[in-house]
Amino acid sequence: MSRSFSLYFSGSVKYDGRALGLLGPGRFLLLRKNDGSVSVHGGTLIPPRNYMGAKASMEGIIAAGQTIVFERKGETISIVIDEIHFFEYMDDWSEDEVCLRRTERELVNKLFWNWPDYFDATCYSIETEVQTEFGPIDLLGTEFDGTLHVVEVKRRKATVTDCIQLRKYVETVGGIGYLAGPEIGDKAIKYLKSHGYNWVQVEFDI
Amino acid sequence: MSRSFSLYFSGSVKYDGRALGLLGPGRFLLLRKNDGSVSVHGGTLIPPRNYMGAKASMEGIIAAGQTIVFERKGETISIVIDEIHFFEYMDDWSEDEVCLRRTERELVNKLFWNWPDYFDATCYSIETEVQTEFGPIDLLGTEFDGTLHVVEVKRRKATVTDCIQLRKYVETVGGIGYLAGPEIGDKAIKYLKSHGYNWVQVEFDI
DNA sequence: AGTTTAGTTACGCTA
DNA sequence: TAGCGTAGCTAAACT
């Protein structure tokens, strides 16, 4: 769609859209990717200082003294270039995604396939991603007497907010609540217990 | 701390730490910043494919056939370089932050200074960023009879999660709950009403 | 060190 | 397309 390049320049950047952002003057690195996305990186931090999603249009000439403008539905980035330090094309830039392990999904699957190892209740039905009025329940077990077991799974350390999210589901469908994951904070476990919910420790296999 | 550079290379990347991530082989852009942070960018999307925060250590030589390793408390990124397409230093890279407008803080201030325009209750005290056990309350008004008015402010469209955050505060300090912002989702307004909380519409001035 | 939140969150999935 | 929730979220503020 657009030829990708990196530009290390002196100048200033203005963003207008969901917010209003001013940057510089200073030295920044501009990245233009295959998908038309744009990012302006400063000398610290992982996220860019300014950015714009895929299919941003580009106007202007990349040269000292020029202004280039990127646009995308209601958003604008204007870049005033004072000086160019280097300019390089990135041709054949790979669009591969990272193959990720240790996701929340893996923990959900582990609990699904090994339910008896983690829960006392014998359920005739175990479902994942059960849709409710206020969002999907990660794991829902149903006992023969109709009792529901509502499980909210977190891949990272569970917080008080996660406990309240569980509470939201339990109040919506009824039943017994469980928060599951590899780790939970002190405040969170206290909150969980005081509201009558259960903590289920589950680790990643690899 | 470390000299910043960009490296466009063919090769593969492995991350091990909070998760396990495999990338490539393919062409990627490696950024090493002033603060020692590292990011590996692919040809699409704004965020990097792999990354590591500030003060990452670096081992190895940047040359074809070599492996470079970045490390930081319990995390490792290994990069196998097959071929180098370009290598550039970014000297004097600016560390300026963006000067931002239309932040949540601005909405909080607007409500603070124009309280009677948005709330019926007459309060003798209005405070911002009131610390509680479970985090800070954006805006807290106190009536003469002691009734508290708890306000959670959002700069973007409010969600059910935001209602839960409000609920956490109201249940902590007691009183009447308000969610405030420019916009709110359908499920969120339903959740808000069903729990007896209020919606306050407030817009950015600029 | 632990906890919580803001963010132009970005991005993917589902209805 | 819009809404909703995850993320190796990141990074900052505060206890």
Side-chain angles (χ1 to χ4, degrees):
Chain A
M1 178 188 179
S2 63
R3 196 169 176 197
S4 302
F5 64 83
S6 57
L7 169 70
Y8 189 52
F9 70 102
S10 295
S12 30
V13 183
K14 180 184 167 186
Y15 165 80
D16 197 357
R18 282 169 288 176
L20 187 63
L22 298 171
L23 179 64
R27 292 187 180 212
F28 305 103
L29 180 71
L30 171 66
L31 299 183
R32 166 79 156 170
K33 295 193 176 187
N34 304 346
D35 59 358
S37 65
V38 182
S39 6
V40 178
H41 284 265
T44 60
L45 307 184
I46 294 160
R49 297 294 200 267
N50 287 104
Y51 49 89
M52 186 170 282
K55 293 176 187 165
S57 72
M58 175 174 160
E59 289 277 336
I61 295 157
I62 298 171
Q66 297 290 315
T67 300
I68 46 181
V69 178
F70 296 95
E71 276 183 321
R72 196 184 106 115
K73 44 178 168 178
E75 296 181 294
T76 308
I77 292 179
S78 303
I79 300 176
V80 178
I81 303 173
D82 296 327
E83 195 182 342
I84 291 177
H85 303 295
F86 72 74
F87 176 93
E88 298 274 2
Y89 284 111
M90 276 88 69
D91 289 328
D92 300 314
W93 200 351
S94 294
E95 302 188 0
D96 300 10
E97 288 175 25
V98 175
C99 172
L100 249 202
R101 290 290 319 270
R102 295 179 208 153
T103 59
E104 182 184 285
R105 192 56 193 224
E106 278 182 67
L107 288 182
V108 171
N109 288 342
K110 183 171 181 180
L111 291 172
F112 179 89
W113 292 108
N114 303 281
W115 180 275
D117 297 342
Y118 296 96
F119 304 93
D120 282 331
T122 305
C123 294
Y124 72 90
S125 155
I126 305 169
E127 298 166 280
T128 64
E129 298 297 311
V130 178
Q131 299 297 326
T132 75
E133 189 182 6
F134 297 125
I137 294 171
D138 287 331
L139 209 51
L140 183 68
T142 312
E143 278 189 82
F144 291 100
D145 68 0
T147 305
L148 296 175
H149 297 265
V150 180
V151 189
E152 174 64 29
V153 180
K154 291 294 159 189
R155 71 165 305 286
R156 43 148 181 81
K157 184 187 272 199
T159 67
V160 175
T161 301
D162 300 326
C163 300
I164 301 178
Q165 191 183 344
L166 168 64
R167 191 176 165 194
K168 176 181 77 175
Y169 296 130
V170 174
E171 285 177 353
T172 303
V173 302
I176 299 168
Y178 305 82
L179 192 57
E183 207 181 349
I184 184 166
D186 290 341
K187 285 187 184 180
I189 190 76
K190 197 180 286 183
Y191 187 95
L192 201 69
K193 296 293 177 190
S194 72
H195 284 79
Y197 302 128
N198 308 283
W199 169 243
V200 174
Q201 183 92 18
V202 56
E203 306 285 348
F204 286 110
D205 286 329
I206 304 175
Chain B
M1 181 191 176
S2 64
R3 195 171 177 195
S4 302
F5 64 82
S6 57
L7 169 70
Y8 189 53
F9 70 101
S10 295
S12 31
V13 183
K14 180 185 168 188
Y15 164 80
D16 197 357
R18 281 170 286 176
L20 187 61
L22 298 172
L23 178 64
R27 292 187 180 212
F28 304 102
L29 180 71
L30 171 65
L31 298 184
R32 167 78 155 171
K33 295 193 177 187
N34 304 347
D35 59 358
S37 66
V38 182
S39 7
V40 178
H41 284 264
T44 59
L45 307 184
I46 293 160
R49 298 293 200 267
N50 286 106
Y51 49 88
M52 187 171 283
K55 293 175 188 167
S57 71
M58 175 174 159
E59 290 278 335
I61 295 159
I62 299 170
Q66 298 289 315
T67 300
I68 46 180
V69 178
F70 296 94
E71 277 184 322
R72 196 182 105 116
K73 43 179 169 178
E75 295 182 296
T76 309
I77 293 179
S78 304
I79 300 177
V80 178
I81 303 173
D82 296 328
E83 195 183 342
I84 291 177
H85 303 294
F86 73 74
F87 176 93
E88 297 275 1
Y89 284 111
M90 276 88 70
D91 289 327
D92 300 313
W93 201 350
S94 293
E95 302 188 1
D96 300 12
E97 289 175 24
V98 175
C99 174
L100 250 202
R101 289 289 320 268
R102 295 180 209 152
T103 60
E104 181 184 287
R105 192 50 187 252
E106 281 181 64
L107 287 182
V108 170
N109 288 343
K110 183 171 181 180
L111 291 172
F112 178 88
W113 292 109
N114 304 281
W115 180 275
D117 297 342
Y118 296 96
F119 304 93
D120 283 331
T122 305
C123 292
Y124 73 88
S125 155
I126 305 169
E127 297 165 280
T128 64
E129 298 298 313
V130 179
Q131 299 297 327
T132 74
E133 186 187 4
F134 297 127
I137 295 171
D138 287 331
L139 210 50
L140 183 68
T142 312
E143 278 190 82
F144 290 101
D145 67 0
T147 305
L148 296 176
H149 297 265
V150 181
V151 188
E152 175 61 31
V153 181
K154 290 296 157 191
R155 70 170 303 286
R156 45 153 179 77
K157 184 186 275 200
T159 67
V160 176
T161 303
D162 301 326
C163 301
I164 290 176
Q165 192 181 346
L166 169 65
R167 182 178 182 184
K168 189 173 65 169
Y169 297 136
V170 173
E171 289 183 351
T172 303
V173 303
I176 299 168
Y178 305 82
L179 192 57
E183 209 179 347
I184 184 167
D186 290 341
K187 285 187 185 179
I189 191 74
K190 195 182 283 185
Y191 187 90
L192 201 68
K193 295 294 178 193
S194 72
H195 286 78
Y197 302 130
N198 308 283
W199 168 245
V200 174
Q201 182 93 18
V202 56
E203 306 285 346
F204 284 110
D205 287 327
I206 305 174

